[in-house]
Amino acid sequence: MRVYMDNGATTRVTEPVMAAMQPYFCEIFGNPSSVHGFGREARKAVEAARGQVAKALGAQPREIYFTGCGTEADNWALRGAAYANIKKGRHIITTNFEHHAILHTCQQLEKEGFEVTYLPVDSEGLVTPEQLEAAIRPDTVLVSIMYANNEIGTIEPIPELAAVAKKHGVLFHTDAVQAIGHVEIDVQAQGIDLLSLSGHKFHAPKGIGALYIRQGVRIQRLMQGGAQERGQRPGTENLAGIVGLGKAIELATEDIPGKVAKMTAIRDHMIARIMDEIPYVKLNGHPTKRMCGNVNLSFYFIESESVLLHLDLRGIAASSGSACTSGSLDPSHVLLAIGVSHEHANGSLRLSLCEENTLEEADYVVDSLKEIVERLRDMSPLYSDFLKGVETVGTEEEACHI
Ligand code: PLP
């Protein structure tokens, strides 16, 4: 059996999305900026996709700008808003557990003379409106808080946070890369000024994203070049990718409550079985305010890299942190931010489901995990020390309560 449970890293392009894109390689291939018929056909497809994205977010088509990926949308939102508002101030607020597309951009802005406040999240990954209220200053120009965390799946109270920013006349950006299709988003009703998304997290291809910019919000552009995207994002449009993004977001947001109910049932079945059947394991993140497809666990006394390898041998794809950081030996900054120790962060595993995963697959993964964790613990000196009563990773009393 082959099971893909790494949908937080990327998703497969589904058949209807592929079918929608197919004509836009060999048949309809014009440059959307060309005035001839070939170009006009391509332009029509780009604008139809813009409409699909806008509809899915409760936005106007003219508020949607296509980008090369989620990272570009994040960079653009932050740098664009920071530099456009420099006369008002140079203070930005974010959290300490954002994706690196946000954190590294903030660090770069700090080097360029901006000041950034990193709000700490609590042990379940939540940041509160009160924390935000207390951090806002007269020179604050932008707040950027992710909709849902990519590693532990915690969903932030975005409408409440956006309301605080609005009260103080501060722009509110959210990185919704992981949230699209799993959470109901309405930029108007939720008071969002800027929102980043990325197609490959909801069954569109890699290399296409978008930034929503509320009408009237001025941000600087990142790149210089042609007049594409109403002069805001130069570069010939990724025609097929844009068509795929439009179709994928339409499908992803068709029946969110139905999808969430189905995925939550499978997720909770997995979590319940793992907590019942595998000792010394902790669920990272919030028990309920979490993405319907996210399971993040710390297995004590073993390294997640070994678990991943054994899962892979059984045809199961999972991850030990965000794909972008795996390969680095540093423990995940997200897990450290919620207070997980270095040891337990190194034993953490993320299983991220999509609506295509089944209960049968979930049971296969849990059965495999049980065997793998047991075998690895049998070989673990930490575990044998622990069994002998030697204090290694926390006390036995602590471990028994996790
Ligand atoms: N933001 C979040 C929360 C993500 O999970 C990711 C990708 O994993 C990104 C941004 C970056 O998106 P992209 O891979 O399209 O650059």
Side-chain angles (χ1 to χ4, degrees), residues 8 69-71 74 99 101 146 148 150 175 177-178 198 200-201 324:
C69 55
T71 299
D74 281 345
H99 189 272
M146 70 199 316
N150 44 305
D175 173 344
V177 166
Q178 293 285 337
S198 176
H200 74 104
K201 308 292 184 180
C324 332

Side-chain angles (χ1 to χ4, degrees), residues 120-386:
V121 293
D122 71 10
S123 60
E124 290 170 334
L126 282 173
V127 63
T128 64
E130 292 73 27
Q131 275 176 283
L132 177 59
E133 180 93 53
I136 291 185
R137 311 188 319 208
D139 61 340
T140 307
V141 292
L142 176 69
V143 173
S144 176
I145 297 179
M146 70 199 316
Y147 217 115
N149 184 269
N150 44 305
E151 291 190 40
I152 58 171
T154 302
I155 300 170
E156 300 300 330
I158 292 300
E160 291 80 2
L161 293 164
V164 173
K166 189 175 177 161
K167 190 173 102 188
H168 293 272
V170 175
L171 290 177
F172 187 84
H173 167 253
T174 187
D175 173 344
V177 166
Q178 293 285 337
I180 300 290
H182 297 134
V183 181
E184 301 268 12
I185 297 180
D186 182 324
V187 288
Q188 278 301 331
Q190 298 175 359
I192 298 164
D193 297 311
L194 299 155
L195 176 145
S196 310
L197 59 87
S198 176
H200 74 104
K201 308 292 184 180
F202 51 88
H203 303 295
K206 294 152 194 63
I208 182 70
L211 181 64
Y212 153 78
I213 308 176
R214 178 188 291 278
Q215 207 192 357
V217 170
R218 294 274 159 267
I219 72 170
Q220 280 195 6
R221 57 185 181 179
L222 272 188
M223 297 189 290
Q224 307 307 317
Q228 289 90 354
E229 298 297 278
R230 293 178 299 290
Q232 299 308 303
R233 200 279 185 179
T236 301
E237 296 88 340
N238 173 359
L239 176 60
I242 288 172
V243 169
L245 181 76
K247 183 69 184 174
I249 203 164
E250 186 179 274
L251 295 174
T253 52
E254 228 167 32
D255 174 23
I256 294 181
K259 184 164 58 169
V260 168
K262 180 190 164 221
M263 286 172 66
T264 304
I266 299 178
R267 178 199 75 187
D268 288 349
H269 171 76
M270 287 185 85
I271 293 175
R273 273 201 63 198
I274 291 169
M275 303 307 276
D276 276 358
E277 299 174 33
I278 305 180
Y280 311 126
V281 54
K282 180 179 183 293
L283 178 70
N284 296 315
H286 198 281
T288 53
K289 291 176 189 164
R290 74 185 299 133
M291 292 252 291
C292 53
N294 179 285
V295 179
N296 189 306
L297 305 151
S298 283
F299 294 99
Y300 289 17
F301 314 112
I302 52 177
E303 295 271 330
S304 51
E305 294 309 310
S306 317
V307 179
L308 283 181
L309 229 100
H310 282 81
L311 284 173
D312 191 29
L313 288 173
R314 292 168 188 242
I316 300 167
S319 72
S320 61
S322 67
C324 332
T325 50
S326 59
S328 129
L329 289 176
D330 294 335
S332 139
H333 72 281
V334 171
L335 295 176
L336 297 184
I338 60 167
V340 175
S341 67
H342 275 62
E343 292 92 323
H344 295 163
N346 284 334
S348 77
L349 180 80
R350 179 186 72 175
L351 298 157
S352 42
L353 287 71
C354 78
E355 65 283 4
E356 295 182 332
N357 288 116
T358 63
L359 203 58
E360 191 195 1
E361 289 178 335
D363 279 325
Y364 173 62
V365 171
V366 177
D367 291 341
S368 301
L369 267 176
K370 273 173 73 174
E371 289 173 22
I372 292 166
V373 169
E374 195 180 331
R375 186 168 332 147
L376 290 173
R377 282 187 180 154
D378 282 348
M379 299 185 300
S380 156
L382 279 175
Y383 191 54
S384 68
D385 282 354
F386 170 75

